[in-house]
Amino acid sequence: MNRLWVTIGMVVFAAVVVWAISSGNKVDPAGKPTPTPAPVTQPDTSGPDAAPVANATDTAKPAAPDAAPVTPAPDTTPAAPDTATAASIEGLHVVPAAPNQPDPIVGSADFDQANPDANPYMFEAQFTPWGGGVKHILLSRYSTEVDKHDPYPVQEQQVLQTYTAADGSIQHGYFYPMAAESVLVNGKAIDLRAARWTVDADRTDKTTTVFTVTLANDKDAPVLRITRVWKIAAGTYDLTLTHAFENLTTQPLDVRFTQQGQVDLPLGVTNVGDRRTVVLCYLQPYGSDANKKDLSIKDYNLSRTKLVKTDSDVIWPGAGDDAARDVVWSAVTNRYFAVAVHPAMPSGVVMPPSLESDFNSVRKSTWTQPSPDGKTEVTNLALHYDSVPMRLAPKGDANAKREIGFQIFAGPKAPDVLKVQDSPYQRLGLDKLIIYNLGGMCSVCTFSWLADAMMWFFTLIHALVADWGVSIIVLVALVRGLLHPITKGSQINMQKMSKQMQQLQPEMERLKEKYADNPQKLNQETMKLYQEKGVNPLGMGLGCLPMFLQTPIWIALYAVLFFAIELRHQPAFYGVFQAISGGHWGFMADLSSQDRFITIPHVDLWIFHLDSINLLPLLWGILMFINMKYTTPQVAPANDNAAMQQKMMKGMMLLFPFLLYKAPCGLTLYILASTSVGIIESRRVRAHMKELEASGEFDINKKTAKKDKKPGFFGSLIEAAQQRMEDQQKMKQGGANPGPIGERGSGKRKGGGGRRSGRRGK
């Protein structure tokens, strides 16, 4: 029975761990839409002169080009400045820009494999005149595919609304990342996305794009000019955005600006569900010294899946935030990449500036669209930033103009980019975006120090052997070597316990018959039998120890292989499988993905999506069967429980390969190699066990304990349990038949009992 419960515990524990890692073969499209209204935007599929859409929830046809802007929904409009005293301006509106404005491009997404440095730019950014926002940001050094260069899109326009145009064609309204959203002028809200901005051709080139828009009153007299300047620099993943607000009137203006932010990064193919996050980093006091502050993301490493389901659209400041905290940056991430809005980091400055000097509020919005296959709805998420209130003095005054802005990091979560000592990214704390943790149930047993150490070890070995697959094999050798004494001891204990329990079975059956009506006495006599025969009942449980010790390593390795961008699109064993096939065979071409031994047409099997035959999990199942023959005691089942145990162990051979069928092939390579080494290790251990068995080590009838030998740890536990049961039995008997132990443990109880009887007699 003990073996049965140990096995059940092993199966349940292992199944829960593997299920927690592998759950999500079918990704939830993030659930139902949240109550947050979708933001205002405009379409763009019919060219730069497409008409704007008034509101994402509005089913009316779009307005005509250059129509008066529509006031944004109340929740996307910032509150008026507390100090607003300026008079309201009648008829405030956006001055229409000339049609046919271009979609400027800065940087470049070109990439030459033979000469990677030929293109000095890390990405290409294309903009739209609608709100002066981003149409796409494409990374030049990273591709969406393994075998060809297809620049990776970290930001793209998102479909916000689909409608039927007057000519019957299907049109789309888009949400443009980083577009100007709205401006509040003397209490009047103006939508800046539903109007076309003017591209300043004289100031626009390969590295700079300038947009301008002018607001006028009911007499068409200019009131406010807003200028947006985009800049890119070679060799950096930063895109700089600056806003200039200029008062063109003779009266003061109270202005507050709202800026659209990042949209979702691509989810990509994953077998562990949606692991995208929204992360905010803030400065908080460090210790008792108010002048010292520390960067932290505590409580603000937010699951994107959970965030879209929250009712409140406000992310920062949260309910627990006070004036002592200042947000520094806000990022959206996926498995390998991040887009973070942060202030410019001056050179020579250790403490980063606060984003709140210009933008002091971060909000979210969500909306739903049909999935590409039309079977489900997909929930989209976007961020929004509200500026601080600004007072602009009348024109001609030195304070008639105000500039605010930030920089946008759009790049990989790579240590050689974000963790470079004393770099601007490192001083901003953007290195905190690199987290090797799958979250959810796995976060409890994912030790960050272990994952970081494993990544360091991988990097070290890779520097020597120049292959990540070989590095995994080396890791297997190291881990198995460290755990060999424990593995050897556990296998010997399991074999020894199995043999001894078989020898004790007849005596245990006699005890069950003798004390069938007294379970407490049965347990007492059973433990006494264990002690007399030198049997350790916990020995079987020690057989689980290597598995429990390796589980954190497996989870940490899984997290590393899932999140480490160094392994993305990296082949195993120097790309030998691709070399012999001329690049046509995708087997183990990407250690962060399934091994794809044979690619097949996509097949939906209930919750399981199959698009390839993966060899490594199948080989692992075969090796598990072989390994079980060496590690499991080869004896006939003594009873029905033992037979059930053997069946459950065989079932595990099918369970694990199924749950890890679509796991990264780096992980299955590790497990396959570890199991192979385990078979070799078990053969040697079994040879040693045969020697022990021949010497009578496993025969309880040949083992005699010396009288003067002190009991071991487990023997002491048995003695203590036996003593406790005897004391409890004496207490129930009221002190009868005390014996030496009873006299020590129940003398006062006897006297007390006599005194109570005397009082009742009176």
Side-chain angles (χ1 to χ4, degrees):
M1 179 64 71
N2 290 335
R3 291 180 57 193
L4 175 62
W5 285 112
V6 168
T7 303
I8 292 175
M10 291 174 60
V11 173
V12 171
F13 174 80
V16 167
V17 169
V18 178
W19 172 83
I21 293 176
S22 301
S23 62
N25 285 329
K26 187 172 183 179
V27 178
D28 184 2
K32 298 179 180 180
T34 68
T36 307
V40 182
T41 193
Q42 63 289 320
D44 200 3
T45 54
S46 57
D49 297 322
V53 173
N55 192 290
T57 58
D58 185 8
T59 58
K61 294 181 179 180
D66 300 326
V70 180
T71 303
D75 73 316
T76 61
T77 303
D82 295 336
T83 58
T85 57
S88 176
I89 301 175
E90 297 296 330
L92 191 64
H93 63 277
V94 176
V95 177
N100 300 320
Q101 296 292 323
D103 295 336
I105 295 177
V106 298
S108 172
D110 295 337
F111 182 76
D112 185 356
Q113 187 69 39
N115 185 15
D117 295 330
N119 176 14
Y121 298 103
M122 298 300 179
F123 58 83
E124 169 191 292
Q126 184 176 24
F127 307 104
T128 173
W130 296 109
V134 172
K135 294 193 74 170
H136 68 234
I137 298 178
L138 307 177
L139 299 182
S140 60
R141 270 31 175 205
Y142 294 91
S143 176
T144 58
E145 303 293 336
V146 177
D147 54 353
K148 64 178 181 180
H149 181 66
D150 183 15
Y152 188 85
V154 289
Q155 289 289 277
E156 283 187 303
Q157 60 188 27
Q158 300 292 314
V159 174
L160 180 63
Q161 180 180 354
T162 302
Y163 63 95
T164 303
D167 59 0
S169 62
I170 302 299
Q171 300 293 330
H172 300 291
Y174 287 97
F175 183 102
Y176 292 108
M178 306 300 170
E181 181 172 332
S182 64
V183 63
L184 202 66
V185 182
N186 290 4
K188 175 73 171 179
I190 300 297
D191 182 11
L192 298 175
R193 297 163 295 182
R196 188 185 296 109
W197 288 52
T198 300
V199 177
D200 189 338
D202 294 336
R203 301 166 59 188
T204 297
D205 54 29
K206 187 66 175 177
T207 62
T208 305
T209 294
V210 180
F211 293 101
T212 62
V213 70
T214 301
L215 275 61
N217 59 20
D218 56 349
K219 298 180 180 179
D220 289 333
V223 174
L224 177 69
R225 179 185 296 118
I226 306 175
T227 304
R228 289 167 59 86
V229 180
W230 292 95
K231 283 185 175 293
I232 189 176
T236 178
Y237 287 99
D238 271 342
L239 187 63
T240 302
L241 173 60
T242 304
H243 306 84
F245 300 86
E246 184 179 0
N247 188 351
L248 304 177
T249 71
T250 57
Q251 69 178 73
L253 297 179
D254 288 324
V255 177
R256 194 175 186 191
F257 176 71
T258 295
Q259 163 77 48
Q260 286 183 178
Q262 311 97 301
V263 297
D264 282 325
L265 274 71
L267 174 60
V269 179
T270 172
N271 70 308
V272 294
D274 192 342
R275 290 297 187 262
R276 291 176 292 181
T277 60
V278 174
V279 185
L280 274 70
C281 183
Y282 56 88
L283 283 168
Q284 64 177 0
Y286 181 76
S288 58
D289 190 348
N291 295 323
K292 293 183 179 180
K293 292 191 174 183
D294 183 36
L295 287 168
S296 176
I297 62 171
K298 183 180 179 182
D299 301 326
Y300 280 96
N301 183 17
L302 308 173
S303 165
R304 185 255 184 214
T305 302
K306 294 181 180 179
L307 188 61
V308 297
K309 297 178 181 179
T310 58
D311 293 334
S312 175
D313 65 333
V314 177
I315 301 177
W316 183 276
D321 298 312
D322 53 34
R325 287 182 172 185
D326 294 320
V327 66
V328 176
W329 49 261
S330 173
V332 295
T333 78
N334 66 1
R335 184 175 177 181
Y336 296 118
F337 302 96
V339 179
V341 168
H342 65 85
M345 188 68 189
S347 59
V349 176
V350 177
M351 187 63 63
S354 170
L355 184 65
E356 293 191 43
S357 59
D358 289 345
F359 293 87
N360 60 1
S361 174
V362 183
R363 295 177 291 107
K364 71 173 176 69
S365 65
T366 60
W367 68 97
T368 59
Q369 281 291 313
S371 61
D373 58 11
K375 296 180 179 179
T376 60
E377 284 190 333
V378 177
T379 301
N380 299 284
L381 178 141
L383 300 186
H384 304 258
Y385 299 87
D386 298 322
S387 77
V388 296
M390 298 173 284
R391 169 61 65 92
L392 303 180
K395 67 176 181 179
D397 190 285
N399 295 319
K401 189 174 182 179
R402 169 76 184 272
E403 289 189 356
I404 61 174
F406 48 67
Q407 291 184 328
I408 304 163
F409 168 82
K413 297 190 295 183
D416 59 355
V417 174
L418 301 180
K419 288 191 173 184
V420 178
Q421 190 66 26
D422 294 329
S423 67
Y425 296 147
Q426 192 265 343
R427 284 182 283 135
L428 279 166
L430 287 174
D431 57 331
K432 297 181 182 296
L433 290 169
I434 303 175
I435 304 173
Y436 304 117
N437 195 315
L438 292 169
M441 295 177 61
C442 296
S443 60
V444 178
C445 46
T446 302
F447 304 109
S448 58
W449 62 267
L450 180 60
D452 291 340
M454 193 173 296
M455 193 64 236
W456 175 87
F457 179 78
F458 273 158
T459 304
L460 177 64
I461 297 300
H462 184 263
L464 299 175
V465 301
D467 184 83
W468 295 108
V470 175
S471 300
I472 292 174
I473 301 298
V474 174
L475 177 65
V476 169
L478 176 64
V479 172
R480 298 296 306 205
L482 292 175
L483 295 179
H484 175 72
I486 300 175
T487 303
K488 179 180 177 181
S490 68
Q491 291 187 23
I492 292 176
N493 282 334
M494 290 178 66
Q495 183 74 15
K496 179 180 177 181
M497 183 65 182
S498 178
K499 295 285 187 181
Q500 292 177 340
M501 290 299 290
Q502 275 197 319
Q503 296 175 44
L504 286 177
Q505 195 65 31
E507 296 187 48
M508 293 181 67
E509 290 296 332
R510 285 195 295 270
L511 290 176
K512 289 179 181 179
E513 294 178 2
K514 184 176 180 181
Y515 301 105
D517 299 330
N518 192 345
Q520 186 175 10
K521 185 64 176 178
L522 175 62
N523 290 336
Q524 180 180 346
E525 293 299 324
T526 301
M527 297 182 73
K528 184 184 295 185
L529 178 64
Y530 287 157
Q531 186 178 17
E532 290 175 354
K533 299 298 184 179
V535 176
N536 175 14
L538 300 180
M540 186 65 73
L542 294 177
C544 308
L545 191 57
M547 178 181 178
F548 285 119
L549 290 177
Q550 288 195 77
T551 297
I553 297 177
W554 285 9
I555 295 177
L557 179 64
Y558 201 123
V560 166
L561 293 175
F562 187 80
F563 288 110
I565 196 169
E566 294 89 342
L567 276 68
R568 181 179 184 267
H569 292 179
Q570 293 299 311
F573 308 120
Y574 307 99
V576 61
F577 303 112
Q578 289 69 53
I580 62 177
S581 64
H584 300 294
W585 192 15
F587 181 52
M588 298 187 73
D590 183 0
L591 282 170
S592 64
S593 180
Q594 50 189 325
D595 65 64
R596 301 187 183 280
F597 182 67
I598 300 176
T599 302
I600 62 175
H602 187 87
V603 178
D604 284 333
L605 301 175
W606 190 36
I607 62 172
F608 202 72
H609 302 275
L610 192 66
D611 56 4
S612 66
I613 296 176
N614 300 324
L615 178 64
L616 299 187
L618 301 179
L619 290 178
W620 179 36
I622 296 173
L623 287 181
M624 282 184 66
F625 176 81
I626 297 174
N627 191 36
M628 185 178 297
K629 300 183 71 68
Y630 288 105
T631 58
T632 304
Q634 302 298 310
V635 293
N639 49 43
D640 293 339
N641 289 335
M644 184 183 299
Q645 174 190 347
Q646 292 186 5
K647 292 180 180 179
M648 293 177 64
M649 294 294 289
K650 292 178 181 178
M652 290 175 61
M653 293 185 299
L654 299 176
L655 176 65
F656 285 161
F658 173 77
L659 292 178
L660 291 179
Y661 185 78
K662 299 183 72 173
C665 62
L667 177 67
T668 52
L669 174 63
Y670 172 88
I671 300 175
L672 182 66
S674 182
T675 305
S676 303
V677 174
I679 292 176
I680 300 173
E681 188 178 42
S682 297
R683 290 178 63 93
R684 300 185 61 181
V685 172
R686 282 179 60 83
H688 179 63
M689 287 192 295
K690 288 182 179 180
E691 297 176 0
L692 294 177
E693 188 174 2
S695 66
E697 180 68 22
F698 296 165
D699 191 348
I700 59 175
N701 296 319
K702 293 184 178 181
K703 294 178 66 65
T704 56
K706 296 181 179 180
K707 294 183 179 181
D708 58 344
K709 183 179 179 181
K710 296 182 178 180
F713 174 73
F714 296 108
S716 299
L717 290 179
I718 294 175
E719 287 185 354
Q722 183 178 353
Q723 175 72 54
R724 182 175 181 83
M725 286 189 291
E726 289 180 356
D727 288 347
Q728 291 176 351
Q729 187 175 5
K730 298 300 182 183
M731 290 175 64
K732 289 182 178 180
Q733 295 175 356
N737 301 322
I741 297 177
E743 291 176 356
R744 291 194 301 269
S746 58
K748 292 184 179 181
R749 290 194 295 271
K750 287 171 63 180
R755 288 192 292 272
R756 287 194 296 270
S757 298
R759 286 194 291 271
R760 286 195 298 268
K762 292 179 182 180

